Amino acid sequence: MDIFPIRSDADHRKAVQEIERLWDAREGTEEFNRLDILATLVDAYEAKRWPVEDLDPVDTIKADMELNGRSLSDLTKVIGKSRASEILKRRRPLTLGMIRKLHHSWHIPADRLVGEYELSH
């Protein structure tokens, strides 16, 4: 089994791609074991690289965008064009509707999006 340490974002992307390839592996197979090990390594890297407890809702969205290669354009498709940039610039708070859309579309845990954060004026 060719398992590699995850020490960079490039290593992370490679591991995530491999996880996606192995996603439907059957339990008890070598592919499933590889999937399990890689998922554990990716989880550890992500916890170190993007500590969730330190992120407010806007930083959570930004981290998700970076982690998943999403752009402002992708965010606008979920919550609207002018709103997306206003949210990222902290000029507008997230609404319950936006939180629901992000949770359902991007699978961001809702509890990571409901916290309070400072708005810039």
Side-chain angles (χ1 to χ4, degrees):
M1 187 180 307
D2 183 31
I3 298 291
F4 51 91
I6 301 175
R7 296 190 177 116
S8 67
D9 288 351
D11 291 341
H12 176 263
R13 279 189 297 277
K14 184 177 173 184
V16 169
Q17 289 172 345
E18 182 69 1
I19 287 170
E20 289 171 353
R21 187 184 74 73
L22 296 169
W23 194 249
D24 293 323
R26 286 196 168 141
E27 192 169 348
T29 65
E30 188 169 327
E31 289 82 14
F32 183 84
N33 291 340
R34 180 177 176 78
L35 171 65
D36 191 30
I37 292 167
L38 284 173
T40 301
L41 291 172
V42 164
D43 188 49
Y45 179 79
E46 289 175 356
K48 183 178 176 183
R49 174 76 166 86
W50 299 288
V52 173
E53 64 276 356
D54 295 342
L55 301 180
D56 68 19
V58 174
D59 290 334
T60 297
I61 294 168
K62 289 178 180 179
D64 183 86
M65 291 171 71
E66 182 180 340
L67 178 64
N68 294 296
R70 293 184 170 123
S71 65
L72 178 61
S73 175
D74 297 320
L75 183 59
T76 64
K77 291 174 186 170
V78 178
I79 64 173
K81 187 172 184 174
S82 66
R83 291 183 177 99
S85 61
E86 289 176 332
I87 295 295
L88 294 180
K89 292 177 183 176
R90 299 174 185 271
R91 292 189 181 143
R92 170 191 285 261
L94 284 165
T95 65
L96 182 57
M98 291 176 198
I99 291 167
R100 285 181 177 147
K101 288 177 184 178
L102 285 166
H103 173 69
H104 292 293
S105 299
W106 288 6
H107 309 289
I108 298 174
D111 63 327
R112 299 300 313 150
L113 298 171
V114 296
E116 293 191 28
Y117 59 94
E118 294 255 345
L119 295 177
S120 63
H121 299 283

